[in-house]
Amino acid sequence: MKNIDYSFVTFSDNQSIENNINCIHSRNLYVIIDGVGRDYLVEKAAKLASETILNTFFNILEENNSPGDAIFYSINNANRAILEERIKINEKMAASVCIVYLQDKIMYFSHLGDSRVYSFQENELNQLTRDHTLREEDPFAEKRYDDPRALQALIKGLGIHEKADVYVKKYPLEKKGMVILTTERLTERISNRDIQWLSRKINNPRKFIKGVIDLYKRKGGDEAFTLGLISYGGIPKWFRKVLSVYLVFFVVLLLVIGGYFMIFTGDTVPPVEITETFVPAAVEDEEKDMESNAVKAETVSTPSEIEEKTVETVAEYENKSIVRKQILAERPDIPEIEEISIEGEQAAVEDFYQDINTFLADWKKAWEMSAGKDGNFNEYISFYSENFKSGRLDFEGWKSDKSRKNKRKKWIKVEISDIKISGPDLNNTVDVRFTQTYKSSNFSVISDKALLLKKENSKWVIVSEISN
């Protein structure tokens, strides 16, 4: 699935908390977990479920490339982990869970408990799951039980039964849409109609979640809930970032050009030229002022004084003219703009793309040569940065895991096509995307891959790697 953007938030104590134990979003796997129990048991159940699902899912997926099996065993293992802990501490503890995996144009999903999965496509909202509660499972529950809390009791969930009743379903995805995951406390205040209205109005994940939280608080909601939104088929996130950078650059460029014209091409006051007729005009004006002002007429009474006044006026204008001429003469010349060599720029771009393509070819070959116990694994690892991370694994953890898997393979064959290169960006990183056909002695898959490259010690290395 291409162009995926998402946001997951747990709302608690009037705060929005991201990247917590109640949600998972990793390599097209999206999970929401809602712990049930007393005080710290809620967090304990959510943590056990989160760790178990994340570890189980990708191990199963890599072995047999079956998202359905990966979801099935992930939920069953999480159920077993919580049940064993529940028996061990002799406390009531359970959890609701909904799990979604996107592959190509298919969504694989399952759930236990009262957490929900919605799909929003073609301007319509569909609730894909049904709450496993007494209210939903028993049509006569409302007549049998007077306590509203009893109606919310879980019939199914993680840690309730020894064997989890898991059904994995498929759902086709359109070119553009959204998937919404939420826990039951939100839907006690926010109806499906509200969710559909917000989905039609807002398609940005972060703005959508903010809108839901604001509406929830306006309706008097104050209990904790977890909400996630996955948007697909829209404008790529990296493209929006690049567009924003270029827009800022364009605005700055316009400001610089505007400032340049204001400073250097504005109207200038021409210097005053002294002519022979200037002095008589000044004398005539001075004499008129002296006639209209009785005080000035008394103080300036002799022709010699008038002549001295006129000479001072002429000298004053002459001095101003000299100063202005000097200022204009000292203005620095505008440097000429150097012409940019189009051929040189094109050559630099071609060299850049050739450098990236050579890196990809060498990386692909090193990967193929790393298979087996005698494979050259160190050469393959040299293409990765020491700051590389894969999910929750740091470089050393990923390196150890990859080495173990590659040694089990007799051979590896990798084909790369449809290469798209973007960058470098402001962080001097390059985004490379392509279609990858991977085949080995025990596994094969075709996927869309994205590599984030950065230069370290004058050579390109991989700092991020994502397969869809």
Side-chain angles (χ1 to χ4, degrees):
M1 202 70 195
K2 296 182 178 180
N3 304 337
I4 296 176
D5 193 11
Y6 60 85
S7 181
F8 282 72
V9 164
T10 294
F11 176 79
S12 179
D13 297 329
N14 215 28
Q15 291 183 345
S16 300
I17 307 168
E18 297 182 359
N19 301 324
N20 58 87
I21 59 175
N22 295 317
C23 53
I24 297 173
H25 37 80
S26 175
R27 292 178 281 176
N28 287 357
L29 173 68
Y30 305 94
V31 184
I32 275 185
I33 302 161
D34 187 21
V36 179
R38 231 174 7 95
D39 301 330
Y40 74 97
L41 296 176
V42 172
E43 183 175 346
K44 191 175 188 66
K47 186 176 181 181
L48 274 173
S50 177
E51 292 176 350
T52 305
I53 289 173
L54 191 60
N55 292 333
T56 303
F57 182 88
F58 289 107
N59 287 336
I60 299 296
L61 185 66
E62 184 172 353
E63 292 298 329
N64 58 17
N65 194 30
S66 172
D69 288 349
I71 291 175
F72 179 86
Y73 287 109
S74 296
I75 294 179
N76 272 283
N77 287 355
N79 179 71
R80 188 180 302 110
I82 294 178
L83 189 61
E84 289 174 356
E85 185 67 17
R86 177 180 178 176
I87 295 172
K88 179 181 175 181
I89 64 176
N90 194 26
E91 290 276 1
K92 290 183 178 181
M93 181 173 64
S96 293
V97 62
C98 54
I99 178 170
V100 166
Y101 181 73
L102 307 183
Q103 186 180 67
D104 298 328
K105 294 184 179 180
I106 300 294
M107 177 175 71
Y108 298 82
F109 70 97
S110 185
H111 89 298
L112 281 179
D114 51 12
S115 295
R116 295 183 183 181
V117 179
Y118 294 87
S119 171
F120 181 78
Q121 295 186 142
E122 297 182 343
N123 227 26
E124 292 296 328
L125 183 75
N126 292 313
Q127 182 179 333
L128 304 182
T129 60
R130 183 179 179 180
D131 296 349
H132 295 146
T133 60
L134 190 62
R135 183 197 299 274
E136 293 292 331
E137 297 289 333
D138 186 356
F140 303 102
E142 292 186 356
K143 294 182 179 180
R144 293 177 182 176
Y145 300 93
D146 295 330
D147 189 353
R149 292 176 298 178
L151 300 176
Q152 298 299 323
L154 296 183
I155 302 300
K156 300 176 184 178
L158 297 177
I160 295 178
H161 302 291
E162 185 173 352
K163 184 177 180 181
D165 192 7
V166 182
Y167 292 93
V168 181
K169 300 177 183 180
K170 293 183 181 180
Y171 190 80
L173 301 177
E174 301 293 337
K175 292 182 179 180
K176 184 178 180 180
M178 296 186 296
V179 177
I180 303 165
L181 290 74
T182 182
T183 56
E184 59 92 17
R185 292 182 187 86
L186 173 68
T187 52
E188 288 178 355
R189 298 280 182 175
I190 304 294
S191 66
N192 287 1
R193 196 173 194 179
D194 294 329
I195 295 175
Q196 178 170 274
W197 175 75
L198 286 168
S199 299
R200 289 176 176 175
K201 186 179 179 182
I202 308 170
N203 59 9
N204 179 281
R206 280 150 293 279
K207 292 181 179 179
F208 174 87
I209 288 179
K210 184 179 182 301
V212 170
I213 291 175
D214 290 341
L215 181 59
Y216 177 76
K217 291 191 290 186
R218 286 202 302 271
K219 290 194 171 188
D222 57 0
E223 294 187 76
F225 68 87
T226 300
L227 173 65
L229 184 136
I230 310 144
S231 173
Y232 56 88
I235 300 175
K237 190 175 181 180
W238 65 268
F239 182 79
R240 294 201 301 268
K241 288 184 178 179
V242 171
L243 190 63
S244 299
V245 171
Y246 277 103
L247 182 62
V248 171
F249 174 79
F250 181 73
V251 171
V252 172
L253 184 62
L254 285 179
L255 291 174
V256 171
I257 294 175
Y260 167 82
F261 279 103
M262 289 178 63
I263 294 173
F264 294 108
T265 62
D267 293 333
T268 58
V269 180
V272 180
E273 294 184 1
I274 306 302
T275 61
E276 294 179 356
T277 59
F278 179 82
V279 175
V283 174
E284 184 179 354
D285 291 340
E286 188 74 7
E287 289 175 347
K288 288 180 180 180
D289 290 340
M290 292 171 62
E291 291 173 357
S292 62
N293 193 325
V295 176
K296 289 185 178 180
E298 291 177 0
T299 56
V300 183
S301 57
T302 63
S304 61
E305 290 176 345
I306 295 174
E307 185 177 358
E308 288 176 0
K309 184 93 174 170
T310 303
V311 172
E312 289 177 0
T313 304
V314 173
E316 181 180 352
Y317 276 97
E318 285 179 346
N319 291 336
K320 289 183 179 179
S321 177
I322 292 171
V323 171
R324 183 175 297 277
K325 287 180 180 179
Q326 288 176 346
I327 292 174
L328 293 175
E330 292 173 358
R331 178 182 295 171
D333 294 333
I334 302 171
E336 296 183 359
I337 301 175
E338 297 181 0
E339 296 184 358
I340 301 174
S341 173
I342 298 177
E343 293 80 3
E345 185 177 354
Q346 290 177 344
V349 172
E350 290 175 0
D351 289 344
F352 167 72
Y353 281 103
Q354 181 62 39
D355 194 16
I356 299 299
N357 280 290
T358 300
F359 173 88
L360 291 176
D362 293 341
W363 166 74
K364 165 187 167 301
K365 183 178 179 181
W367 191 2
E368 294 173 339
M369 297 300 292
S370 68
K373 294 181 179 179
D374 299 327
N376 189 355
F377 187 73
N378 290 333
E379 175 67 19
Y380 171 60
I381 285 296
S382 67
F383 285 83
Y384 290 82
S385 168
E386 292 184 356
N387 297 318
F388 177 82
K389 288 186 177 180
S390 178
R392 296 188 177 184
L393 295 177
D394 59 10
F395 175 71
E396 292 299 329
W398 173 82
K399 176 181 174 182
S400 176
D401 181 66
K402 198 73 174 178
S403 174
R404 177 177 54 82
K405 292 175 180 177
N406 283 15
K407 285 180 181 179
R408 296 204 307 258
K409 303 179 186 296
K410 296 179 181 179
W411 53 269
I412 293 175
K413 183 67 176 176
V414 182
E415 295 295 335
I416 296 175
S417 60
D418 299 330
I419 301 174
K420 297 179 179 63
I421 303 172
S422 303
D425 60 12
L426 294 178
N427 296 322
N428 201 27
T429 57
V430 176
D431 183 86
V432 183
R433 297 172 183 261
F434 51 86
T435 301
Q436 175 182 286
T437 303
Y438 174 88
K439 296 180 180 179
S440 68
S441 57
N442 59 1
F443 181 67
S444 63
V445 66
I446 299 176
S447 60
D448 293 326
K449 177 159 278 190
L451 299 180
L452 192 64
L453 309 183
K454 189 173 184 177
K455 269 200 173 179
E456 293 181 0
N457 299 324
S458 302
K459 77 167 190 174
W460 291 107
V461 289
I462 301 171
V463 296
S464 174
E465 181 177 296
I466 301 175
S467 295
N468 296 325

